[in-house]
């Protein structure tokens, strides 16, 4: 048994049975070892950003890590942006990055690079196996590191000779440490604040946004009058009819500042203090007002459900009814595809249990309010701000949940970063409906130009913000990657197209041309 | 005048007047500053791999750096693979990477990352500006670092507040140090070897592959009987009729070993010792035989033309006629598009002075021999083995040389990494003909499976090597990005398509479907 074979057996033994891959020469023995195990599902991406983004989407929905297979430093580099997003999502990912044989490195062949150096900024755990005998043990540690709450990026570098040389055998799974217990003082401080009658925001992230924990938060809110928020960008929110609603803090800093101006304290469960996405001249970095303290009742490393339960109990709210959302669909819009109208169509069209991937950027700013009363669904957001996450997240979510529909809400500018994922969706016959918001510009940047104080946009700048010369033909692009689709220009046609798309059991792309 | 304005003026003052860009919020002031200077040509890429690959192609042809504009760590990460290629090409590149405002960093907003850490593995020079007053001076140093022979990657990180705050003014250009003089002892050793009657290989890289230096090498070869080689992957080779021919060392390690088995010494001018691209069990890393010494007569940091001239003079070969290649076209092939037949069609179809971009991978292995007698042309290769260089290199070369035709020879698997460059070619109306070699698999990996000793390819492995499920529709993809094209299945149709493509003054894509 060689090192690569012990690696695959160790992965499978720990329940890691999906490998998103984009292999090269130095990984051929790993590919051969994967080949011996049909119970390992191998999903090919045509670009590494598809591979890492899909691993992120998979982890968010499966609650366990997939492996990735990447080819040396440049292959890892291509996957870096979506690993950044995955790290910010605190997703569980086990990267396996092939490298030159240990003795070949010092010959400085063209593909030689500092793989560890490239890995470190986007990894919580990095190791390069030193011998074939250590591959299995390293892999078991990598998996445990990835699985440790709240979820981590573990990158195992596999030199080619460690893959092809004889090794002892696979390693048993290592159980990661349990999350830390909540601190009693933090819980009682939270209870005191909630009883104080002051204006309290409860900030929910990570596990707090799962249905059963939302219910605890709902009881707390009902008993105390506090308001429930989430950060702008979240790994996964369970929401819609039958669930406790949480308000996402708005992306535009002025909107967030105005909305949060009156709060006196923030009690956070599984979320860091939300701050402005970017700094702007003369505007604050924090979005909660000065003097408003943010108290981490449970950090992401602690047992978030236990903290919520303890606060609930402290308030005596265990039997309080949580205020769950009623099914409430907006009226059918008509005419042009504006962000509001699109959000209304989406709210009305969502099948039960859809996984919504949100990289709609400016076109998605109406979604939170307008879709809140839709049927129950999951909502996955762009956690790290590295654009190009949408298509691959959809691919990964569909891999994790083949029986659930996926709706990918995709801005056109961002979509151009990772459209290769469509090919994987076609190959895997995934039930993903992609809705492209074709406003044909980097609209967010036009707004940001004003936000940073730039008043006029001239020709050279417009050339960097405008996507009309030439327009991107999304239906042609989809066809080129084997995905059927259509372009629509009215909400009536959009509604019909979504119906067609959800009826398909294959990927379908809708280009919504916006005014 | 703010920091961004001093940066743009410093770039222009040093002759850097092209900026390949993919901006985001933190670079809005830089965009605004670029906007004030219509003499700065801004070229938008839909993905950062287009941006950095185009900067590489531009530098190879222009012989001076372009700037890039990238958005924080993930934007730089997306450009990493082609920066790796650019670094291996020793291209001159000045990256400008936006970052959060200095005071915003510690709030750990979603896009926060270790930008310097991501930059370092692919940069020769990295600096983050500390204040707006230092931006111009930092930029002048970055440009000088990029321009220093043989060419370097300089990465300047520009925090948003350093861009938007008041600054003193632009900085004057800094002249980089001249290349080091050749070492006399190395020159006389080379002359001794060349006079010895032993079997000598002269290895030419970097500046040695430019026409006038090739002529010196030709004289040396004519006077001494040595053979002229180049590494497998080169920044730029000038070749074809009227020029001295150089043989590229073959990529397949067994072919290279057999060809080079008899050499007793290698005299290198501007090239490191070529080694096997990858290690294989039981095969050597070096491609020259054991005991064959590689003598660097001039490293890339030395004056390569001076070293060639000195050796030429030492041999008394100044007036020897260099053996230049005669125009010699292969016969017209017929039938299916095999690599040999495609190479013959290319040799016969090339317009004078074409810039050939070679990311043909396995389909391009016949090119060296078959196209050697074509009309004069430049040949740019994939220097770092990070695939996805082809489309962007073509974009950059066309930006540098708008009056020359560009032929991009593109493997289909590799092409899927950076097809977004087609959109830039359409927008800039570039005269680029792309020839896709559609063999519909990662053919190189099938060969490499055998090379590393894997005998059987099963279903899971085949799924990672085969691109037929679904086939990629390259003409549709091109259309989606605004580029016209056609698919062909015979060399007769390929010939006609190339004629049509070269007649266009816009980008054109030909999908050559191979058996």
């Amino acid at each position: 048994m060689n090192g690569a074979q012990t690696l695959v057996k160790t992965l499978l033994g720990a329940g890691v049975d999906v490998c998103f891959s984009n292999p090269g020469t130095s990984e051929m023995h790993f590919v051969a070892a994967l080949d011996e195990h049909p119970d390992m599902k191998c999903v090919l991406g045509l670009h590494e950003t598809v591979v890492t983004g899909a691993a992120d989407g998979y982890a968010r929905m499966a609650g366990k890590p997939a492996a990735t297979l990447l080819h040396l430093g440049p292959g890892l580099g291509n996957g870096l942006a979506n690993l950044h997003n995955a790290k910010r999502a605190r997703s569980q990912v086990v990267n396996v990055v092939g490298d030159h044989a240990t003795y070949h490195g010092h010959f400085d062949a063209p593909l030689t690079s500092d793989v560890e150096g490239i890995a470190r900024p986007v990894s919580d755990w990095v190791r390069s196996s030193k011998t074939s005998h250590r591959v299995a043990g390293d892999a078991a540690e990598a998996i445990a590191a990835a699985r440790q709450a709240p979820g981590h990026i573990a990158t195992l570098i596999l030199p080619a000779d460690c893959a092809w040389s004889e090794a002892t055998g696979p390693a048993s799974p290592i159980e990661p440490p349990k999350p830390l217990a909540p601190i009693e003082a933090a819980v009682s401080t939270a209870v005191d604040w909630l009883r104080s009658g002051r204006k309290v925001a409860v900030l929910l992230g990570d596990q707090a946004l799962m249905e059963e924990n939302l219910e605890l938060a709902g009881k707390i809110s009902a008993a105390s009058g506090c308001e429930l928020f989430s950060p702008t960008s979240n790994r996964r929110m369970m929401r819609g009819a039958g669930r406790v609603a949480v308000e996402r803090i708005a992306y535009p800093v002025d909107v967030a500042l105005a909305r949060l101006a009156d709060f006196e304290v923030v009690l956070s469960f599984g979320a860091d203090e939300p701050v402005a996405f970017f700094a702007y001249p003369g505007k604050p970095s924090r979005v909660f007002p000065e003097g408003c303290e943010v108290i981490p009742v449970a950090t992401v490393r602690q047992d978030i459900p236990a903290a919520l339960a303890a606060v609930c109990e402290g308030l005596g709210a265990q039997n309080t009814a949580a205020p769950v959302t009623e099914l409430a669909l907006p009226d059918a819009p008509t005419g042009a595809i504006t962000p509001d109208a699109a959000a209304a169509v989406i709210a009305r069209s969502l099948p039960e249990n859809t996984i919504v991937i949100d990289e709609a950027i400016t076109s998605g700013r109406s979604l939170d309010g307008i879709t809140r009363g839709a049927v129950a669904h999951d909502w996955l957001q762009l956690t790290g701000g590295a654009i190009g996450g949408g298509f691959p997240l959809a691919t990964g979510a569909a891999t994790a949940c083949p029986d659930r529909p996926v709706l990918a809400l995709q801005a056109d500018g961002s979509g151009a970063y990772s459209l290769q994922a469509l090919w994987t969706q076609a190959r895997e016959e995934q039930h993903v409906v992609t809705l492209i918001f074709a406003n044909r510009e980097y609209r967010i940047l036009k707004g940001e130009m004003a936000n940073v104080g730039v008043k006029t946009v001239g020709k050279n700048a417009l050339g960097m913000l405008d996507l009309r010369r030439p327009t991107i033909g999304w239906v042609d692009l989809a066809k080129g990657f084997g995905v059927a689709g259509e372009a629509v220009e009215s909400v009536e046609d959009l509604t019909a197209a979504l119906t067609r798309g959800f009826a398909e059991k294959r990927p379908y792309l809708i280009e919504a041309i916006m005014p």
Side-chain angles (χ1 to χ4, degrees), chain A:
Chain A
M1 195 180 299
N2 65 28
Q5 289 168 316
T6 67
L7 171 54
V8 176
K9 286 179 191 294
T10 302
L11 288 168
L12 284 168
V16 179
D17 55 6
V18 171
C19 180
F20 295 100
S21 71
N22 185 272
T25 298
S26 37
E27 297 84 44
M28 285 300 99
H29 283 90
F30 186 43
V31 168
L34 290 165
D35 203 26
E36 295 166 357
H37 293 277
D39 45 336
M40 177 67 84
K41 182 173 177 62
C42 297
V43 180
L44 180 63
L46 294 181
H47 186 290
E48 294 85 348
T49 201
V50 178
V51 169
T52 55
D56 183 6
Y58 176 89
R60 296 194 200 190
M61 293 310 301
K64 67 174 190 174
T68 69
L69 165 46
L70 303 167
H71 183 51
L72 294 99
L76 174 61
N78 278 337
L80 212 84
N82 274 331
L83 285 175
H84 171 85
N85 284 329
K87 191 179 177 202
R88 290 281 167 178
R90 302 194 176 96
S91 287
Q92 307 174 29
V93 178
V94 178
N95 297 308
V96 178
V97 185
D99 198 3
H100 281 312
T102 50
Y103 62 84
H104 195 62
H106 81 274
F107 287 100
D108 198 35
L111 259 170
T112 307
S113 66
D114 176 9
V115 185
E116 287 189 27
I118 296 171
R120 216 161 278 124
V122 289
S123 304
D124 302 291
W125 184 101
V126 179
R127 187 175 302 165
S128 191
S129 285
K130 300 298 175 217
T131 75
S132 56
H133 297 285
R134 291 171 68 166
V135 170
D138 290 341
E141 282 190 57
I143 298 162
R147 287 180 56 216
Q148 184 171 348
H152 294 89
I153 312 298
T155 300
L156 175 63
I157 299 164
L158 181 67
D161 53 340
C162 295
W164 78 50
S165 300
E166 209 46 32
T168 327
S172 306
I174 298 171
E175 200 52 41
K178 298 265 173 267
L180 308 171
I183 295 168
E184 274 178 42
V187 169
S188 59
T189 302
V191 172
D192 290 347
W193 268 104
L194 290 162
R195 282 192 177 135
S196 68
R198 313 269 292 276
K199 202 153 162 64
V200 177
V202 165
L203 184 68
L204 305 168
D206 202 87
Q207 294 298 324
L209 297 171
M210 300 296 280
E211 185 163 18
E212 60 279 19
N213 301 327
L214 285 170
E215 201 184 334
L216 292 171
K219 290 170 185 285
I220 293 168
S221 169
S224 70
C226 70
E227 291 184 67
L228 304 180
F229 291 92
S230 79
T232 308
S233 307
N234 300 282
R235 172 205 283 175
R236 178 181 178 189
M237 298 180 82
M238 298 182 80
R239 67 197 292 268
R243 291 169 175 168
V244 172
V246 169
E247 180 179 342
R248 276 173 82 197
I249 294 174
Y251 175 97
V253 64
D254 295 324
V255 178
L257 285 166
R259 174 70 181 91
L260 305 172
D262 297 334
F263 286 97
E264 295 173 272
V265 75
V266 181
L267 304 176
S268 84
F269 297 81
D272 293 327
E273 177 180 357
V275 295
F277 217 86
F278 292 103
Y280 304 97
K283 296 181 186 179
S285 288
R286 303 184 69 216
V287 294
F288 280 101
E290 243 183 290
C292 171
E293 201 182 347
V294 179
I295 299 173
V297 188
T299 70
V300 290
R301 274 157 202 83
Q302 291 178 304
D303 188 334
I304 297 164
L308 283 164
V311 171
C312 198
E313 199 184 323
L315 286 175
Q318 300 99 312
N319 300 318
T320 306
V324 298
T325 308
E326 308 259 321
L327 183 70
L329 301 181
D331 292 338
T334 57
I337 304 173
T338 62
D340 278 10
V345 171
I346 291 161
R348 295 169 58 87
S349 305
L350 271 191
E352 186 93 29
N353 247 341
T354 298
I355 303 165
V356 179
I357 309 293
D358 181 2
E359 194 179 34
I361 317 284
T362 55
S363 300
R365 291 201 181 147
S366 316
L367 287 168
D368 190 6
I370 295 176
T371 65
R372 207 170 288 173
V375 295
H377 61 278
D378 284 274
W379 192 11
L380 279 54
Q381 291 138 16
L382 188 69
T383 47
I387 55 180
F391 282 117
L393 280 176
T395 304
T399 304
C401 305
D403 298 328
R404 294 178 61 176
V406 176
L407 174 63
L409 304 175
Q410 182 61 62
D412 54 351
S414 305
Y417 288 73
S418 54
L419 67 155
Q420 296 95 333
L422 289 168
W423 182 85
T424 304
Q425 292 173 14
R427 167 172 275 207
E428 300 292 325
E429 299 181 9
Q430 295 184 326
H431 189 189
V432 178
V433 178
T434 299
L435 171 52
I436 301 282
F437 291 94
N439 63 23
R440 297 175 171 169
E441 62 187 8
Y442 291 146
R443 186 163 294 176
I444 191 167
L445 295 187
K446 284 201 176 167
E448 299 288 24
M449 285 287 271
N451 249 337
V452 293
V454 174
K455 286 179 190 74
T456 55
V457 176
K459 198 184 155 194
N460 234 352
L462 195 64
M464 287 186 270
L465 307 180
D466 180 80
L467 303 178
R468 279 181 190 82
R469 217 167 25 88
T471 56
I472 299 174
W474 280 99
V475 177
D476 292 319
L477 293 175
K479 187 177 170 209
F481 282 133
V483 170
E486 62 184 296
V488 296
E489 296 197 49
S490 72
V491 289
E492 292 83 352
D493 288 348
L494 173 59
T495 305
L498 280 169
T499 305
R500 269 190 291 278
F502 284 123
E504 295 271 339
K505 292 289 174 196
R506 286 160 176 264
Y508 196 74
L509 181 139
I510 302 162
E511 179 180 355
I513 299 169
M514 304 181 78

